[in-house]
Amino acid sequence: MRRLGNKRRTVPTTRKHDTGTDTVHSHSDGHGHGHGHVISTGPGTDPAGRRPSAARRTARLLAVALTALASAVPAHASEAPAPRTPAPVPTVSESEAADTLGTGQPRPPGWRSQDSGVTVRLRGLAAVDRRTAWAAGSRGTVLRTTDGGAHWRTVSPPGTADLEFRDIEAFDARRAVVLAIGEGEASRMLRTDDGGATWTEVFRNTDPRAFYDCVAFFDDRRGLAMSDPVDGKYRIVSTRDGGRSWRVLPDAGMPPALPGEAGFAASGQCLVTSGSRDVWLATGGGARARVLRSTDRGHTWRATELSLPAGDPARGVFALAFRDSDSDSSDRERDRDRDRGRDRDRDRAQGIAVGGDYRTGQPSPDAAATTRDGGRSWRSADRPPPAYRSGAVWLPAPWAHRVGSRHAALAVGPTGTDLTTDGGRTWRPMGTGSYDTVDCAPDGGCWASGEKGRVARLTR
């Protein structure tokens, strides 16, 4: 296991009549008074009920016409009705104009720093929603916000100052599981059910050969954690009760590890899930970078090689991000495939892998890859991030709409953040701040965290 150092615009509206016309017309005398009522006693009769002669009817009609004509002509110019004010022309606000950057394309989002109140490195991060997030890091530190990051509160477990928390999984504002890394008993997991007021140790590794790196959940009950290889194979522990208890899974379905191969506890993203059964494991340190995939909650695995830098203990795949195919499928397609009894998500889950060489100043070419078939095959990015990246996340629907793409994702690392809008094929710089990990909630709440207590929230 590698520790990685200290490891109102107004719009005119219309009303439709039953006749199908689109505009309501009103009549006015030019002074704001409407002529709105007429007394009728029946056609061809006077108010006393007598029928007038033809001559009298003609004279009356002529008088009415002359009166109407006179009233329509103003006595002088000042009585003329004011000219009609044209409808307002839609305008673009300054912020909207800036968002296009003169290119017609939406402006990329950016990070807004928040005060975490700590100076330790924060490699574990879990975004629950726009108001709630958790972070974890060195010296047994756990933080929580329930107001969108305006305030971060320390909720660290007591007596854990010697532990290195590298991953945290949160189910809501009250329940979370945090993972400490290290050899032997340094690898532990603790759970809280009251927002960090109290913690319970739920797992302690007793095998000195094991070194746990990451933990991931399928839902609020089922989850897995992974260790570096023991006896030549990665070790997987499983929970069915939300992390309250854990058991080691048999390793018969796990392929052998490569010599020197292990996971990186850099961002809590070396083990990730999507859906109810699929899970992926990122590796490095071996002769080739690989991703292992399981479709049965960790019982059996298959390995696929990637072109990310490898062949050195400091190189490999550091983070994975997956999403199911629902984001790209119509309801009709999903219903059709469900009727055929096929698990379409497993064959079409989209994934991103990032990594490289974590050593400062070392080049990291080809440090990103993508898959569109659930990890069966991988393709190198046509234009990868310019340097090592340790964290990645798909942007949820609110952000994908703002950046103009359903295929948007972020990658973060010590030298900056990159954005892709084409599913990971090409990346462009979004900022230079140093972050180790990144996470987003479905409602659009996104955070990044890293060294010196750095925490930031994604904004426009």
Side-chain angles (χ1 to χ4, degrees), residues 293-309:
R293 171 184 182 242
S294 171
T295 60
D296 56 9
R297 300 196 188 106
H299 290 276
T300 60
W301 299 78
R302 292 184 179 181
T304 304
E305 296 181 5
L306 286 75
S307 61
L308 271 72

mmCIF file of all heavy atoms in Angstrom, residues 293-309:
data_model
loop_
_atom_site.group_PDB
_atom_site.id
_atom_site.type_symbol
_atom_site.label_atom_id
_atom_site.label_comp_id
_atom_site.label_asym_id
_atom_site.label_seq_id
_atom_site.Cartn_x
_atom_site.Cartn_y
_atom_site.Cartn_z
ATOM 1 N N ARG A 293 -12.970 -5.963 -12.072
ATOM 2 C CA ARG A 293 -14.413 -5.737 -12.108
ATOM 3 C C ARG A 293 -15.154 -6.947 -11.594
ATOM 4 O O ARG A 293 -14.836 -8.083 -11.942
ATOM 5 C CB ARG A 293 -14.844 -5.433 -13.545
ATOM 6 C CG ARG A 293 -16.353 -5.385 -13.787
ATOM 7 C CD ARG A 293 -16.618 -5.168 -15.261
ATOM 8 N NE ARG A 293 -18.040 -5.063 -15.577
ATOM 9 C CZ ARG A 293 -18.699 -5.897 -16.370
ATOM 10 N NH1 ARG A 293 -18.066 -6.918 -16.910
ATOM 11 N NH2 ARG A 293 -19.974 -5.712 -16.629
ATOM 12 N N SER A 294 -16.154 -6.679 -10.747
ATOM 13 C CA SER A 294 -17.028 -7.743 -10.244
ATOM 14 C C SER A 294 -18.476 -7.369 -10.483
ATOM 15 O O SER A 294 -18.851 -6.209 -10.303
ATOM 16 C CB SER A 294 -16.804 -7.964 -8.741
ATOM 17 O OG SER A 294 -17.782 -8.851 -8.199
ATOM 18 N N THR A 295 -19.288 -8.351 -10.871
ATOM 19 C CA THR A 295 -20.717 -8.116 -11.102
ATOM 20 C C THR A 295 -21.576 -8.872 -10.100
ATOM 21 O O THR A 295 -22.787 -8.968 -10.264
ATOM 22 C CB THR A 295 -21.115 -8.526 -12.532
ATOM 23 O OG1 THR A 295 -20.846 -9.916 -12.710
ATOM 24 C CG2 THR A 295 -20.356 -7.707 -13.562
ATOM 25 N N ASP A 296 -20.944 -9.388 -9.064
ATOM 26 C CA ASP A 296 -21.683 -10.156 -8.053
ATOM 27 C C ASP A 296 -21.278 -9.743 -6.639
ATOM 28 O O ASP A 296 -21.135 -10.576 -5.763
ATOM 29 C CB ASP A 296 -21.491 -11.654 -8.260
ATOM 30 C CG ASP A 296 -20.016 -12.068 -8.261
ATOM 31 O OD1 ASP A 296 -19.150 -11.218 -7.933
ATOM 32 O OD2 ASP A 296 -19.728 -13.243 -8.583
ATOM 33 N N ARG A 297 -21.085 -8.463 -6.451
ATOM 34 C CA ARG A 297 -20.748 -7.878 -5.149
ATOM 35 C C ARG A 297 -19.446 -8.431 -4.574
ATOM 36 O O ARG A 297 -19.315 -8.644 -3.382
ATOM 37 C CB ARG A 297 -21.877 -8.057 -4.148
ATOM 38 C CG ARG A 297 -23.193 -7.410 -4.546
ATOM 39 C CD ARG A 297 -24.120 -7.295 -3.337
ATOM 40 N NE ARG A 297 -25.452 -6.852 -3.746
ATOM 41 C CZ ARG A 297 -26.520 -7.658 -3.788
ATOM 42 N NH1 ARG A 297 -26.402 -8.935 -3.438
ATOM 43 N NH2 ARG A 297 -27.696 -7.186 -4.158
ATOM 44 N N GLY A 298 -18.483 -8.648 -5.437
ATOM 45 C CA GLY A 298 -17.152 -8.969 -4.962
ATOM 46 C C GLY A 298 -16.806 -10.423 -4.822
ATOM 47 O O GLY A 298 -15.715 -10.746 -4.333
ATOM 48 N N HIS A 299 -17.645 -11.315 -5.264
ATOM 49 C CA HIS A 299 -17.333 -12.742 -5.139
ATOM 50 C C HIS A 299 -16.407 -13.215 -6.252
ATOM 51 O O HIS A 299 -15.508 -14.031 -6.006
ATOM 52 C CB HIS A 299 -18.622 -13.558 -5.111
ATOM 53 C CG HIS A 299 -19.408 -13.367 -3.857
ATOM 54 N ND1 HIS A 299 -19.148 -14.066 -2.696
ATOM 55 C CD2 HIS A 299 -20.445 -12.540 -3.573
ATOM 56 C CE1 HIS A 299 -19.987 -13.691 -1.744
ATOM 57 N NE2 HIS A 299 -20.794 -12.761 -2.257
ATOM 58 N N THR A 300 -16.636 -12.751 -7.493
ATOM 59 C CA THR A 300 -15.746 -13.094 -8.605
ATOM 60 C C THR A 300 -15.326 -11.818 -9.319
ATOM 61 O O THR A 300 -16.078 -10.840 -9.374
ATOM 62 C CB THR A 300 -16.418 -14.052 -9.598
ATOM 63 O OG1 THR A 300 -17.599 -13.419 -10.145
ATOM 64 C CG2 THR A 300 -16.830 -15.345 -8.904
ATOM 65 N N TRP A 301 -14.117 -11.844 -9.883
ATOM 66 C CA TRP A 301 -13.518 -10.645 -10.482
ATOM 67 C C TRP A 301 -12.850 -10.994 -11.808
ATOM 68 O O TRP A 301 -12.378 -12.119 -12.002
ATOM 69 C CB TRP A 301 -12.468 -10.042 -9.557
ATOM 70 C CG TRP A 301 -12.995 -9.605 -8.229
ATOM 71 C CD1 TRP A 301 -13.285 -10.400 -7.150
ATOM 72 C CD2 TRP A 301 -13.299 -8.267 -7.845
ATOM 73 N NE1 TRP A 301 -13.752 -9.630 -6.110
ATOM 74 C CE2 TRP A 301 -13.767 -8.316 -6.504
ATOM 75 C CE3 TRP A 301 -13.224 -7.020 -8.474
ATOM 76 C CZ2 TRP A 301 -14.143 -7.180 -5.792
ATOM 77 C CZ3 TRP A 301 -13.593 -5.881 -7.783
ATOM 78 C CH2 TRP A 301 -14.051 -5.968 -6.460
ATOM 79 N N ARG A 302 -12.768 -9.994 -12.696
ATOM 80 C CA ARG A 302 -11.989 -10.090 -13.935
ATOM 81 C C ARG A 302 -11.121 -8.856 -14.062
ATOM 82 O O ARG A 302 -11.558 -7.744 -13.769
ATOM 83 C CB ARG A 302 -12.900 -10.215 -15.160
ATOM 84 C CG ARG A 302 -13.663 -11.537 -15.229
ATOM 85 C CD ARG A 302 -14.469 -11.642 -16.512
ATOM 86 N NE ARG A 302 -15.176 -12.912 -16.611
ATOM 87 C CZ ARG A 302 -15.930 -13.274 -17.629
ATOM 88 N NH1 ARG A 302 -16.081 -12.433 -18.659
ATOM 89 N NH2 ARG A 302 -16.532 -14.444 -17.637
ATOM 90 N N ALA A 303 -9.915 -9.042 -14.521
ATOM 91 C CA ALA A 303 -8.961 -7.941 -14.634
ATOM 92 C C ALA A 303 -8.817 -7.493 -16.073
ATOM 93 O O ALA A 303 -8.822 -8.317 -17.004
ATOM 94 C CB ALA A 303 -7.597 -8.365 -14.098
ATOM 95 N N THR A 304 -8.690 -6.179 -16.274
ATOM 96 C CA THR A 304 -8.461 -5.588 -17.593
ATOM 97 C C THR A 304 -7.304 -4.605 -17.497
ATOM 98 O O THR A 304 -7.217 -3.809 -16.550
ATOM 99 C CB THR A 304 -9.713 -4.845 -18.096
ATOM 100 O OG1 THR A 304 -10.826 -5.736 -18.092
ATOM 101 C CG2 THR A 304 -9.498 -4.306 -19.506
ATOM 102 N N GLU A 305 -6.419 -4.663 -18.462
ATOM 103 C CA GLU A 305 -5.261 -3.770 -18.460
ATOM 104 C C GLU A 305 -5.611 -2.422 -19.065
ATOM 105 O O GLU A 305 -6.460 -2.323 -19.956
ATOM 106 C CB GLU A 305 -4.103 -4.393 -19.234
ATOM 107 C CG GLU A 305 -3.570 -5.665 -18.605
ATOM 108 C CD GLU A 305 -2.415 -6.253 -19.385
ATOM 109 O OE1 GLU A 305 -1.962 -5.611 -20.365
ATOM 110 O OE2 GLU A 305 -1.958 -7.358 -19.023
ATOM 111 N N LEU A 306 -4.954 -1.368 -18.579
ATOM 112 C CA LEU A 306 -5.107 -0.009 -19.083
ATOM 113 C C LEU A 306 -3.740 0.517 -19.482
ATOM 114 O O LEU A 306 -2.692 -0.007 -19.067
ATOM 115 C CB LEU A 306 -5.710 0.918 -18.021
ATOM 116 C CG LEU A 306 -7.189 0.785 -17.687
ATOM 117 C CD1 LEU A 306 -7.447 -0.456 -16.847
ATOM 118 C CD2 LEU A 306 -7.667 2.022 -16.932
ATOM 119 N N SER A 307 -3.742 1.610 -20.256
ATOM 120 C CA SER A 307 -2.483 2.180 -20.729
ATOM 121 C C SER A 307 -1.939 3.258 -19.811
ATOM 122 O O SER A 307 -0.999 3.961 -20.170
ATOM 123 C CB SER A 307 -2.678 2.764 -22.139
ATOM 124 O OG SER A 307 -3.650 3.805 -22.115
ATOM 125 N N LEU A 308 -2.519 3.437 -18.632
ATOM 126 C CA LEU A 308 -1.995 4.437 -17.708
ATOM 127 C C LEU A 308 -0.571 4.067 -17.285
ATOM 128 O O LEU A 308 -0.172 2.897 -17.339
ATOM 129 C CB LEU A 308 -2.886 4.564 -16.469
ATOM 130 C CG LEU A 308 -4.033 5.573 -16.579
ATOM 131 C CD1 LEU A 308 -5.120 5.057 -17.513
ATOM 132 C CD2 LEU A 308 -4.628 5.872 -15.206
ATOM 133 N N PRO A 309 0.208 5.061 -16.852
ATOM 134 C CA PRO A 309 1.589 4.768 -16.449
ATOM 135 C C PRO A 309 1.664 3.654 -15.426
ATOM 136 O O PRO A 309 0.857 3.574 -14.500
ATOM 137 C CB PRO A 309 2.060 6.101 -15.862
ATOM 138 C CG PRO A 309 1.246 7.136 -16.576
ATOM 139 C CD PRO A 309 -0.104 6.497 -16.765
#
